[in-house]
Amino acid sequence: MTVLKAIIAACFAAILSVGPTSAFADEVMASRLEAILGQERQALSVVSDSRLSMLTSLPPAQERGVETQTGLVYDRDYLSDLPAADGGSEWQCLAEALYFEARGETVRGMFAVGEVIMNRVDSNSYPDSLCGVINQGTGRQYACQFTYTCDGKPETIAEPRSWERVGKVARMLIDGAPRALTGGATHYHTKAVNPSWAQRFPRTAAIGFHYFYRQPVRTASM
């Protein structure tokens, strides 16, 4: 708004100083506009990519009071009425990730965590398969992308009902369920922690026990 006001003020000053009918007015206005826009470009050039992305990204739809329609019912009773799900290795990997990362979440929270994993598969910055994304960094203690794969604890499925529930969520996501909860998020963390990268990435949603973020897109230098 400050830059816009400056541009408007400069235009009026140029007109008033030389007269509205003067041919010289156009040259004065063009010169002053070029100077002001040059200052704006110089100011933007020192803003970090992550900060610029944060400033230019729309807040999540729910924060703007915009209702979204996904066609999904995020309700445990609805999920319980669906038939049991199964699948191949990709389904197995996603279901396991949801079990260990989000089984205590609401249905909405489970889908939100699943969206992050699906979004990573679609991103050029990550492996192009569900198992590849989920197991990235596995084998190096606490250097993996999803903690349960490298925390040294056995990955035991001890809650059959929770496993059945996350299996259905995984099946729906793989089959093309809308991803309308997290605004394209590629990262998340629980509300109990505050990782350093969370200060640089634009937050897109807060759902259940997690905050969600989108990895900043690097912009061309101005």
Side-chain angles (χ1 to χ4, degrees):
M1 291 299 293
T2 301
V3 173
L4 181 60
K5 289 179 180 178
I7 292 173
I8 294 172
C11 290
F12 277 111
I15 292 172
L16 292 174
S17 64
V18 299
T21 59
S22 173
F24 188 60
D26 289 341
E27 294 181 17
V28 173
M29 283 191 291
S31 176
R32 294 191 179 183
L33 283 171
E34 183 177 354
I36 292 169
L37 291 175
Q39 292 172 4
E40 182 184 31
R41 284 193 294 270
Q42 184 178 5
L44 288 174
S45 69
V46 300
V47 179
S48 66
D49 291 338
S50 59
R51 180 61 176 166
L52 190 61
S53 176
M54 186 179 298
L55 291 171
T56 57
S57 297
L58 282 174
Q62 60 267 32
E63 291 185 12
R64 292 180 282 125
V66 177
E67 293 187 7
T68 57
Q69 178 61 47
T70 67
L72 288 178
V73 178
Y74 298 107
D75 179 82
R76 289 206 175 195
D77 290 336
Y78 171 78
L79 206 60
S80 296
D81 290 339
L82 296 177
D86 60 15
S89 59
E90 291 288 272
W91 171 83
Q92 183 80 19
C93 284
L94 182 55
E96 286 182 358
L98 293 176
Y99 179 86
F100 291 108
E101 294 282 306
R103 70 179 181 274
E105 274 281 9
T106 62
V107 174
R108 184 179 293 269
M110 294 177 197
F111 271 96
V113 169
E115 280 188 19
V116 168
I117 298 171
M118 300 295 290
N119 290 339
R120 285 194 175 195
V121 174
D122 290 345
S123 170
N124 292 330
S125 300
Y126 299 93
D128 59 2
S129 70
L130 289 166
C131 292
V133 164
I134 292 164
N135 293 307
Q136 187 176 16
T138 298
R140 295 175 295 152
Q141 190 171 25
Y142 301 115
C144 52
Q145 296 294 308
F146 297 89
T147 305
Y148 81 92
T149 68
C150 63
D151 60 4
K153 299 178 183 178
E155 295 161 19
T156 303
I157 307 296
E159 301 174 22
R161 292 183 64 182
S162 295
W163 172 250
E164 181 179 353
R165 189 178 299 121
V166 298
K168 294 176 182 180
V169 173
R171 183 75 269 165
M172 293 170 73
L173 285 166
I174 291 172
D175 289 345
R179 298 180 222 164
L181 295 175
T182 66
T186 52
H187 292 70
Y188 65 85
H189 66 78
T190 68
K191 295 179 178 179
V193 300
N194 186 28
S196 59
W197 56 259
Q199 309 304 314
R200 306 189 305 273
F201 290 15
R203 184 185 295 179
T204 61
I207 300 173
F209 303 128
H210 294 93
Y211 290 126
F212 295 84
Y213 301 80
R214 183 173 58 253
Q215 186 168 340
V217 177
R218 187 168 185 80
T219 58
S221 58
M222 303 181 76

